[in-house]
Amino acid sequence: MFFLLMYATINVSCFAVAFLGTPGFRPTWRCFHWSSALLGCLLCLGLMFAISWLYSLVALAFGAGVGFYVRSRRVSTDWGDAGAGFRFQVARDQLLALTERSTFHHAKNWRPQILVLCRCDGRFNPVKPELLALAGLLKKGRGLLMAHALIDAQDQPRALVAEAATEVLRLHLHAQQIQGFPRAIVHRSGSRDVTESLLATAQSCGVGALRPNSVLLGWPHAEEHSEKRRRRFIQFLRD
């Protein structure tokens, strides 16, 4: 039973990656087709139940238990996940379906898609974490939340700083039980205008129809209320 179950899982794995068109799956057998893998899986299951339906159910329950145990333990593996490829394909198809001409932008279908612009300290922690909490309350578990932070890289590698800052921002979202997409935008301390970087971030974030329709950012501190800063902040809000 367990040999047939193993062959059935191999066939269903080959069927999944072949049906989804995974680029890394290149079988050497020229006559291979995803339908042959599906047929092999069905034949293995049919033979199992033809031999003994009771032992077949026991073997299936045992295999499901092993799979549930591995997922619950979150064991780090490098063999990939066909389910992730399936979810990616479904998400891609749905994003392409949500075009500008669809009824997604109708008032009845409106959802808050909030972009939170955060300022972080030297350890990449948000200076105003209450902005994330407010954004979570505004969308009430619905809609889309994108939390972007502009980080000063100084003399450090930008890729490493962006990865570390994004992970810290993700931990803050997880601690407040907020579902969203964090991202860190890295710039050099010698840049002339940080406002232009924030404006470019607000204009370029999102994909397809899933772009922010609301922007949430903190109000400047009292010590930052110089005439130049006030004009720059007002111009940023206008843009």
Side-chain angles (χ1 to χ4, degrees):
M1 292 298 175
F2 289 103
F3 279 105
L4 289 173
L5 180 61
M6 180 185 66
Y7 295 141
T9 53
I10 292 175
N11 278 281
V12 75
S13 299
C14 294
F15 161 74
V17 294
F19 185 77
L20 295 174
T22 304
F25 181 69
R26 297 183 292 271
T28 57
W29 187 36
R30 296 182 179 179
C31 300
F32 175 81
H33 192 261
W34 61 264
S35 59
S36 61
L38 180 61
L39 180 61
C41 176
L42 295 177
L43 287 176
C44 290
L45 294 176
L47 286 175
M48 289 174 59
F49 281 92
I51 296 173
S52 175
W53 65 269
L54 179 60
Y55 289 114
S56 299
L57 293 177
V58 172
L60 290 174
F62 181 80
V66 171
F68 179 77
Y69 174 77
V70 172
R71 284 186 174 273
S72 62
R73 297 286 295 180
R74 296 183 179 180
V75 180
S76 59
T77 59
D78 59 351
W79 57 66
D81 186 5
F86 177 76
R87 290 190 293 270
F88 173 81
Q89 188 68 26
V90 171
R92 172 190 172 275
D93 295 340
Q94 295 301 319
L95 281 175
L96 292 176
L98 290 175
T99 58
E100 297 292 340
R101 299 179 181 178
S102 65
T103 59
F104 174 73
H105 297 279
H106 194 272
K108 295 181 179 179
N109 300 326
W110 189 87
R111 298 290 187 277
Q113 299 175 185
I114 305 174
L115 171 63
V116 184
L117 297 177
C118 304
R119 178 188 297 179
C120 296
D121 56 13
R123 296 185 177 181
F124 310 137
N125 294 308
V127 177
K128 296 181 178 179
E130 56 271 12
L131 288 177
L132 299 176
L134 178 60
L137 293 175
L138 289 176
K139 74 185 191 71
K140 299 180 66 174
R142 303 290 181 179
L144 184 67
L145 187 145
M146 291 168 280
H148 286 198
L150 195 64
I151 306 297
D152 185 2
Q154 297 180 355
D155 296 331
Q156 302 177 4
R158 295 191 180 186
L160 297 179
V161 173
E163 183 179 358
T166 302
E167 185 61 28
V168 172
L169 202 57
R170 182 180 291 108
L171 292 176
H172 278 275
L173 291 176
H174 180 73
Q176 300 187 30
Q177 298 180 355
I178 301 174
Q179 293 181 347
F181 300 95
R183 186 182 179 186
I185 309 298
V186 181
H187 72 99
R188 295 295 186 185
S189 57
S191 60
R192 289 183 292 180
D193 196 353
V194 180
T195 308
E196 294 296 329
S197 301
L198 290 174
L199 187 60
T201 300
Q203 293 176 349
S204 61
C205 69
V207 54
L210 296 182
R211 295 195 300 268
N213 52 25
S214 305
V215 180
L216 183 62
L217 69 160
W219 195 261
H221 294 287
E223 59 270 13
E224 298 178 354
H225 286 175
S226 63
E227 184 66 23
K228 184 177 180 181
R229 288 181 179 271
R230 283 199 300 267
R231 291 181 179 180
R232 184 182 301 175
F233 184 74
I234 294 174
Q235 186 63 35
F236 172 73
L237 295 180
R238 290 176 177 176
D239 295 338

